[in-house]
Short mmCIF file of all heavy atoms in Angstrom, two decimals:
data_model
loop_
_atom_site.label_atom_id
_atom_site.label_comp_id
_atom_site.label_asym_id
_atom_site.label_seq_id
_atom_site.Cartn_x
_atom_site.Cartn_y
_atom_site.Cartn_z
N GLN A 231 15.73 12.30 10.25
CA GLN A 231 15.66 11.98 11.67
C GLN A 231 15.78 10.48 11.85
O GLN A 231 15.12 9.69 11.19
CB GLN A 231 14.33 12.45 12.27
CG GLN A 231 14.21 12.13 13.76
CD GLN A 231 12.91 12.64 14.36
OE1 GLN A 231 12.14 13.32 13.70
NE2 GLN A 231 12.68 12.31 15.63
N LEU A 236 12.53 7.97 17.30
CA LEU A 236 11.08 8.21 17.28
C LEU A 236 10.41 7.52 18.47
O LEU A 236 10.89 6.49 18.96
CB LEU A 236 10.49 7.67 15.98
CG LEU A 236 10.95 8.34 14.69
CD1 LEU A 236 10.46 7.56 13.49
CD2 LEU A 236 10.48 9.79 14.62
N PRO A 237 9.28 8.05 18.92
CA PRO A 237 8.52 7.36 19.98
C PRO A 237 8.10 5.95 19.53
O PRO A 237 7.89 5.71 18.34
CB PRO A 237 7.29 8.26 20.18
CG PRO A 237 7.69 9.59 19.63
CD PRO A 237 8.65 9.32 18.52
N ALA A 239 5.37 4.35 19.69
CA ALA A 239 4.08 4.27 18.98
C ALA A 239 4.25 4.62 17.51
O ALA A 239 3.62 4.00 16.64
CB ALA A 239 3.06 5.20 19.63
N VAL A 240 5.12 5.58 17.22
CA VAL A 240 5.36 5.96 15.83
C VAL A 240 6.16 4.88 15.12
O VAL A 240 5.88 4.54 13.96
CB VAL A 240 6.07 7.32 15.75
CG1 VAL A 240 6.46 7.66 14.31
CG2 VAL A 240 5.17 8.42 16.32
N GLU A 243 3.84 2.22 14.03
CA GLU A 243 3.04 2.59 12.87
C GLU A 243 3.85 2.52 11.58
O GLU A 243 3.34 2.12 10.53
CB GLU A 243 2.46 3.99 13.06
CG GLU A 243 1.40 4.07 14.14
CD GLU A 243 0.26 3.09 13.93
OE1 GLU A 243 -0.28 3.04 12.81
OE2 GLU A 243 -0.07 2.37 14.89
N LEU A 244 5.11 2.90 11.64
CA LEU A 244 5.95 2.83 10.44
C LEU A 244 6.23 1.38 10.06
O LEU A 244 6.37 1.07 8.87
CB LEU A 244 7.24 3.61 10.66
CG LEU A 244 7.05 5.12 10.81
CD1 LEU A 244 8.37 5.78 11.14
CD2 LEU A 244 6.43 5.73 9.57
N TYR A 338 -3.74 6.14 6.75
CA TYR A 338 -2.63 7.09 6.69
C TYR A 338 -3.01 8.42 7.36
O TYR A 338 -2.19 9.04 8.04
CB TYR A 338 -2.21 7.35 5.24
CG TYR A 338 -1.06 6.50 4.75
CD1 TYR A 338 -1.17 5.70 3.62
CD2 TYR A 338 0.17 6.52 5.41
CE1 TYR A 338 -0.11 4.94 3.16
CE2 TYR A 338 1.24 5.75 4.96
CZ TYR A 338 1.09 4.97 3.83
OH TYR A 338 2.15 4.22 3.38
N ALA A 339 -4.24 8.87 7.18
CA ALA A 339 -4.67 10.13 7.79
C ALA A 339 -4.58 10.05 9.31
O ALA A 339 -4.12 11.00 9.97
CB ALA A 339 -6.11 10.45 7.36
N ARG A 340 -4.99 8.91 9.88
CA ARG A 340 -4.90 8.75 11.33
C ARG A 340 -3.44 8.70 11.79
O ARG A 340 -3.08 9.25 12.83
CB ARG A 340 -5.66 7.49 11.75
CG ARG A 340 -7.18 7.61 11.57
CD ARG A 340 -7.91 6.41 12.10
NE ARG A 340 -7.69 5.21 11.30
CZ ARG A 340 -8.39 4.89 10.21
NH1 ARG A 340 -9.34 5.72 9.76
NH2 ARG A 340 -8.15 3.78 9.54
N GLN A 341 -2.60 8.05 11.00
CA GLN A 341 -1.18 8.00 11.35
C GLN A 341 -0.55 9.38 11.30
O GLN A 341 0.26 9.74 12.17
CB GLN A 341 -0.44 7.08 10.37
CG GLN A 341 -0.66 5.61 10.64
CD GLN A 341 0.25 4.78 9.76
OE1 GLN A 341 0.60 5.18 8.66
NE2 GLN A 341 0.64 3.62 10.24
N ILE A 342 -0.87 10.15 10.28
CA ILE A 342 -0.31 11.49 10.15
C ILE A 342 -0.70 12.34 11.36
O ILE A 342 0.13 13.10 11.90
CB ILE A 342 -0.76 12.13 8.82
CG1 ILE A 342 -0.09 11.39 7.64
CG2 ILE A 342 -0.44 13.63 8.79
CD1 ILE A 342 -0.71 11.70 6.30
N ALA A 343 -1.94 12.22 11.80
CA ALA A 343 -2.37 12.96 12.99
C ALA A 343 -1.55 12.53 14.21
O ALA A 343 -1.15 13.37 15.03
CB ALA A 343 -3.86 12.73 13.24
N LEU A 344 -1.27 11.23 14.34
CA LEU A 344 -0.46 10.73 15.45
C LEU A 344 0.96 11.27 15.38
O LEU A 344 1.52 11.71 16.39
CB LEU A 344 -0.44 9.20 15.42
CG LEU A 344 0.41 8.52 16.50
CD1 LEU A 344 -0.28 8.64 17.86
CD2 LEU A 344 0.67 7.05 16.16
N VAL A 345 1.55 11.25 14.19
CA VAL A 345 2.92 11.73 14.03
C VAL A 345 2.98 13.23 14.33
O VAL A 345 3.93 13.71 14.99
CB VAL A 345 3.44 11.42 12.62
CG1 VAL A 345 4.77 12.10 12.37
CG2 VAL A 345 3.59 9.90 12.45
N ARG A 346 2.00 13.99 13.87
CA ARG A 346 2.00 15.43 14.16
C ARG A 346 1.99 15.69 15.67
O ARG A 346 2.59 16.66 16.16
CB ARG A 346 0.78 16.10 13.52
CG ARG A 346 0.85 16.22 12.01
CD ARG A 346 -0.32 17.05 11.49
NE ARG A 346 -0.36 17.05 10.04
CZ ARG A 346 0.40 17.81 9.26
NH1 ARG A 346 1.27 18.64 9.81
NH2 ARG A 346 0.29 17.74 7.95
N ARG A 347 1.34 14.81 16.41
CA ARG A 347 1.23 14.99 17.85
C ARG A 347 2.48 14.51 18.60
O ARG A 347 2.94 15.16 19.54
CB ARG A 347 0.00 14.22 18.36
CG ARG A 347 -0.36 14.55 19.81
CD ARG A 347 -1.70 13.97 20.19
NE ARG A 347 -1.64 12.52 20.39
CZ ARG A 347 -2.20 11.63 19.59
NH1 ARG A 347 -2.85 12.01 18.50
NH2 ARG A 347 -2.11 10.34 19.84
N LEU A 348 3.06 13.39 18.15
CA LEU A 348 4.13 12.76 18.92
C LEU A 348 5.53 13.00 18.38
O LEU A 348 6.50 12.99 19.13
CB LEU A 348 3.89 11.24 19.00
CG LEU A 348 2.62 10.77 19.69
CD1 LEU A 348 2.57 9.24 19.70
CD2 LEU A 348 2.54 11.31 21.10
N ALA A 349 5.66 13.17 17.08
CA ALA A 349 6.99 13.31 16.46
C ALA A 349 6.87 14.16 15.21
O ALA A 349 7.03 13.66 14.10
CB ALA A 349 7.56 11.93 16.13
N PRO A 350 6.62 15.46 15.39
CA PRO A 350 6.30 16.31 14.23
C PRO A 350 7.50 16.64 13.36
O PRO A 350 7.90 17.80 13.22
CB PRO A 350 5.71 17.55 14.88
CG PRO A 350 6.37 17.62 16.23
CD PRO A 350 6.55 16.20 16.66
N ASP A 351 8.07 15.62 12.74
CA ASP A 351 9.19 15.81 11.83
C ASP A 351 8.63 16.13 10.44
O ASP A 351 7.89 15.31 9.86
CB ASP A 351 10.05 14.55 11.76
CG ASP A 351 11.18 14.68 10.75
OD1 ASP A 351 12.04 15.54 10.94
OD2 ASP A 351 11.17 13.94 9.76
N PRO A 352 8.95 17.28 9.86
CA PRO A 352 8.35 17.66 8.56
C PRO A 352 8.64 16.66 7.44
O PRO A 352 7.77 16.42 6.60
CB PRO A 352 8.99 19.02 8.26
CG PRO A 352 9.45 19.54 9.58
CD PRO A 352 9.82 18.34 10.40
N GLU A 353 9.83 16.08 7.42
CA GLU A 353 10.16 15.13 6.35
C GLU A 353 9.36 13.84 6.48
O GLU A 353 8.91 13.28 5.47
CB GLU A 353 11.66 14.83 6.36
CG GLU A 353 12.51 16.03 5.97
CD GLU A 353 13.98 15.72 6.01
OE1 GLU A 353 14.39 14.79 6.73
OE2 GLU A 353 14.74 16.41 5.30
N LEU A 354 9.19 13.37 7.69
CA LEU A 354 8.39 12.17 7.90
C LEU A 354 6.93 12.42 7.53
O LEU A 354 6.30 11.61 6.85
CB LEU A 354 8.50 11.72 9.36
CG LEU A 354 7.66 10.50 9.76
CD1 LEU A 354 7.96 9.30 8.87
CD2 LEU A 354 7.88 10.16 11.23
N ILE A 355 6.40 13.56 7.94
CA ILE A 355 5.02 13.90 7.61
C ILE A 355 4.86 14.03 6.10
O ILE A 355 3.87 13.54 5.52
CB ILE A 355 4.59 15.19 8.34
CG1 ILE A 355 4.52 14.93 9.84
CG2 ILE A 355 3.25 15.70 7.80
CD1 ILE A 355 4.39 16.19 10.68
N ARG A 356 5.82 14.65 5.44
CA ARG A 356 5.76 14.79 3.98
C ARG A 356 5.74 13.42 3.30
O ARG A 356 4.98 13.20 2.35
CB ARG A 356 6.95 15.61 3.49
CG ARG A 356 6.87 16.00 2.01
CD ARG A 356 8.05 16.85 1.60
NE ARG A 356 8.22 18.00 2.48
CZ ARG A 356 9.29 18.23 3.23
NH1 ARG A 356 10.31 17.41 3.21
NH2 ARG A 356 9.35 19.29 4.00
N MET A 357 6.55 12.48 3.78
CA MET A 357 6.58 11.15 3.18
C MET A 357 5.23 10.44 3.36
O MET A 357 4.69 9.85 2.42
CB MET A 357 7.70 10.31 3.80
CG MET A 357 7.85 8.93 3.18
SD MET A 357 9.29 8.02 3.81
CE MET A 357 8.64 7.37 5.36
N LEU A 358 4.68 10.53 4.57
CA LEU A 358 3.39 9.88 4.82
C LEU A 358 2.27 10.52 4.00
O LEU A 358 1.41 9.83 3.46
CB LEU A 358 3.07 9.93 6.31
CG LEU A 358 4.01 9.16 7.23
CD1 LEU A 358 3.63 9.39 8.69
CD2 LEU A 358 4.01 7.67 6.91
N GLU A 359 2.29 11.84 3.90
CA GLU A 359 1.25 12.53 3.11
C GLU A 359 1.36 12.18 1.63
O GLU A 359 0.34 12.02 0.95
CB GLU A 359 1.35 14.04 3.32
CG GLU A 359 0.88 14.49 4.69
CD GLU A 359 1.01 15.99 4.89
OE1 GLU A 359 1.88 16.61 4.22
OE2 GLU A 359 0.25 16.55 5.71
N ALA A 360 2.57 12.04 1.13
CA ALA A 360 2.76 11.68 -0.28
C ALA A 360 2.23 10.28 -0.55
O ALA A 360 1.52 10.05 -1.55
CB ALA A 360 4.23 11.78 -0.66
N ARG A 362 -0.02 8.72 1.19
CA ARG A 362 -1.48 8.78 1.31
C ARG A 362 -2.11 9.31 0.03
O ARG A 362 -3.12 8.77 -0.46
CB ARG A 362 -1.86 9.68 2.48
CG ARG A 362 -3.37 9.79 2.64
CD ARG A 362 -3.79 10.87 3.61
NE ARG A 362 -5.25 10.94 3.63
CZ ARG A 362 -5.94 11.94 4.17
NH1 ARG A 362 -5.31 12.95 4.74
NH2 ARG A 362 -7.27 11.93 4.12
#
Side-chain angles (χ1 to χ4, degrees):
Q231 180 178 354
L236 296 171
V240 174
E243 291 305 310
L244 294 175
Y338 265 124
R340 292 185 290 275
Q341 283 188 330
I342 291 166
L344 178 73
V345 171
R346 288 187 187 281
R347 191 170 74 249
L348 298 181
D351 176 63
E353 292 179 336
L354 177 56
I355 292 168
R356 189 178 307 118
M357 183 174 82
L358 296 176
E359 287 179 334
R362 179 191 177 193

